Amino acid sequence: MKVLVVGGGGREHAVVWKLAQSERVSRMWCAPGNAGIAGEKLASNGSSVECVPIGAKDLADMLAFAKAEKPDLTVVVPDDPLALGMVDLFEENGLPAWGPNQRAARFEASKVFSQEFMERHGIPTARSGMFSDAAEAKAFARSLQGRCAVKADGLALGKGVLLTENIADAEVAIDEIMTEKAFGDAGAEIVIQELLSGMEVSLHALVDGRTGCLFPTSQDHKRALDGDAGLNTGGMGTYSPAPFLSDDELETVGRQVLDPWLKGCEEEGIDFKGILYPGVMLTADGPKVLEFNARFGDPETQVYLPRLENDLLELLLASREGRLGEVTMRWKPEVAVCVVMASGGYPQSYEKGKEIDGIAEADALPDTKVFHAGTKFSDGRVVTNGGRVLGVTAWRGDLASARDAAYAAVAKIRFEGAHVRSDIAAKGLG
Ligand code: AMP
Ligand code: GLY
């Protein structure tokens, strides 16, 4: 099969790397891809993955390319093209595409939609209110004593959420989002949730419209600095499984969230085929969903896919074709840890174009994979080209060994200004 993967970050590198292992894939493109993706080869015939310089949000050019090359499957990975309706557009043009359609992608594209859906269908979530009027929002924030998560409705590049602990800060946050439009038009409507405390875990489920197959747990590290200090980022590192839930507890949590969610989708005629990624807080009152994403997590994917034993292409086809009831996902027992190497200054301003050394040495270590996120080729050398530059994953028999192996691989890689959190997986090691 000929496969086109849309996207060009670390998560997409992991998807390409895993799909390239499928004997059924005979040709693969990735748009726009990155320097690591361009280095992947197909297991079936040794040919290279071809990077195509089309942006993930450029629907018209992507469609023109796909009409010319006729991929048998297009795998749309990032949130933006999903929210823009790339899957609908491809399917309308007779091009099979995997990922949620535009309506289904609203679970991520609109926090108001998601919150109302959760409340309609009895999915455990934080106490919340939805507002398009700042004065009403402030009155609700006062009723929570200012202990709030204030969220812009629309996509805001993983940002768009302000956490506050007193009334004055909550009012400032509401003004920033609604009046000053700190996150642009995403802030015309907001969701305010009560501020919850507990351990946060990422869940993923592969969904085919009727059936959801739950992945093991993972945990991300969203803040830029050690000890969960500093600004929110796209994610500075992950590990899987996270030891806060036993398999039985995971099954229970999954069913408390996934079963009512699937039933709600069926009742409302939402045909969701893709990855549902709930962010969940394990509180003293039980698990509560903070948000839904409608795609693979980044860098969760960089720890999930090295553990996945199934052929990913088979799973994506089963998801698109409504056959997940026939499928059992199998996971390696090894623990995987991914440490992100970021550009100095990320998530604020940073420089690009720094030469990167040592990737090949790190990649040569056993059960280790360097996933490229923000990289490109410049004069034949790999250079930095984004905030998150690399995700270095290692998998071993236990969490401490996997953590040590990931950091040993990181130690082989050098670029000017590289920033790494030194405490990835520390919570899991207790
Ligand atoms: P979200 O994009 O909705 O997942 O929010 C980003 C981050 O803000 C989450 O990963 C949590 O760490 C934090 N967060 C979101 N909602 C809440 C909440 N209701 N209580 C506490 N923390 C939250
Ligand atoms: N790991 C955070 C995200 O993918 O949104």
Side-chain angles (χ1 to χ4, degrees):
M1 286 184 89
K2 297 187 289 181
V3 178
L4 167 63
V5 177
V6 175
R11 163 185 59 194
E12 287 78 12
H13 189 182
V15 168
V16 163
W17 169 77
K18 184 68 186 167
L19 285 173
Q21 293 166 29
S22 171
E23 285 297 334
R24 290 183 62 187
V25 177
S26 54
R27 188 161 185 199
M28 195 172 352
W29 302 270
C30 184
N34 61 37
I37 290 170
E40 294 300 334
K41 295 206 168 7
L42 304 186
S44 69
N45 60 18
S47 67
S48 292
V49 174
E50 299 158 61
C51 287
V52 185
I54 301 174
K57 289 193 277 186
D58 192 342
L59 268 64
D61 283 0
M62 202 68 81
L63 180 65
F65 175 80
K67 278 185 167 169
E69 297 291 354
K70 301 198 173 42
D72 300 294
L73 185 69
T74 297
V75 179
V76 185
V77 188
D79 50 352
D80 280 322
L82 292 169
L84 290 168
M86 188 179 276
V87 169
D88 314 53
L89 180 69
F90 272 51
E91 292 280 350
E92 282 156 21
N93 281 275
L95 293 159
W98 175 84
N101 58 33
Q102 191 167 27
R103 182 143 182 261
R106 285 189 75 204
F107 280 105
E108 176 155 8
S110 169
K111 291 197 191 272
V112 170
F113 168 78
S114 262
Q115 192 70 35
E116 289 178 340
F117 184 94
M118 285 195 271
E119 286 168 20
R120 273 199 300 282
H121 297 289
I123 297 168
T125 181
R127 210 181 123 203
S128 69
M130 273 70 72
F131 305 95
S132 50
D133 177 88
E136 285 174 24
K138 287 178 188 174
F140 183 72
R142 280 196 292 278
S143 78
L144 297 174
Q145 281 78 48
R147 294 183 47 77
C148 303
V150 185
K151 306 187 175 192
D153 177 49
L155 289 179
L157 290 172
K159 301 183 201 113
V161 177
L162 298 174
L163 306 179
T164 65
E165 300 200 4
N166 59 57
I167 292 172
D169 287 353
E171 294 193 345
V172 170
I174 291 165
D175 281 334
E176 267 183 41
I177 297 184
M178 297 193 85
T179 316
E180 295 157 32
K181 296 263 158 54
F183 307 114
D185 291 339
E189 281 193 87
I190 62 169
V191 173
I192 298 183
Q193 291 176 335
E194 65 179 319
L195 191 70
L196 297 171
S197 48
M199 191 62 86
E200 209 178 322
V201 291
S202 300
L203 301 183
H204 278 44
L206 181 63
V207 179
D208 70 357
R210 287 170 298 182
T211 306
C213 300
L214 207 55
F215 286 26
T217 49
S218 64
Q219 187 175 51
D220 190 9
H221 299 66
K222 296 205 175 172
R223 300 297 192 97
L225 305 175
D226 282 12
D228 290 335
L231 295 171
N232 256 319
T233 69
M236 292 298 294
T238 39
Y239 61 103
S240 171
F244 316 110
L245 286 174
S246 66
D247 287 350
D248 284 350
E249 286 167 326
L250 171 64
E251 191 64 26
T252 308
V253 172
R255 293 302 145 204
Q256 284 172 351
V257 174
L258 206 53
D259 285 355
W261 179 84
L262 283 165
K263 197 160 160 284
C265 285
E266 196 184 324
E267 281 171 22
E268 300 194 18
I270 299 170
D271 187 20
F272 190 107
K273 296 174 190 298
I275 293 280
L276 181 74
Y277 156 14
V280 173
M281 189 81 91
L282 303 173
T283 75
D285 282 342
K288 310 237 178 192
V289 176
L290 302 179
E291 63 157 359
F292 284 123
N293 299 299
R295 55 168 173 83
F296 279 108
D298 188 342
E300 283 87 345
T301 309
Q302 292 90 313
V303 287
Y304 279 138
L305 295 186
R307 298 189 60 214
L308 179 67
E309 288 186 344
N310 304 62
D311 179 326
L312 180 60
L313 180 71
E314 300 287 355
L315 292 182
L316 300 186
L317 291 171
S319 157
R320 179 173 170 278
E321 293 162 12
R323 292 188 286 101
L324 281 179
E326 302 161 12
V327 167
T328 306
M329 285 200 291
R330 298 180 313 278
W331 301 91
K332 292 192 180 85
E334 279 88 352
V335 180
V337 174
C338 173
V339 176
V340 168
M341 301 184 74
S343 296
Y346 172 77
Q348 291 176 301
S349 64
Y350 51 83
E351 290 176 15
K352 296 183 184 175
K354 308 288 183 198
E355 226 172 75
I356 311 174
D357 285 315
I359 293 177
E361 289 91 312
D363 249 341
L365 294 168
D367 293 340
T368 303
K369 176 71 189 173
V370 180
F371 293 112
H372 291 228
T375 68
K376 66 168 189 178
F377 283 112
S378 172
D379 297 330
R381 306 274 316 175
V382 178
V383 301
T384 67
N385 191 40
R388 291 187 293 174
V389 176
L390 301 168
V392 181
T393 301
W395 50 102
R396 293 291 187 279
D398 62 86
L399 182 56
S401 310
R403 188 262 323 257
D404 293 348
Y407 278 108
V410 164
K412 302 220 172 278
I413 301 174
R414 290 165 304 280
F415 59 89
E416 191 190 314
H419 167 62
V420 173
R421 263 183 73 158
S422 70
D423 64 347
I424 301 303
K427 283 187 207 134
L429 291 163

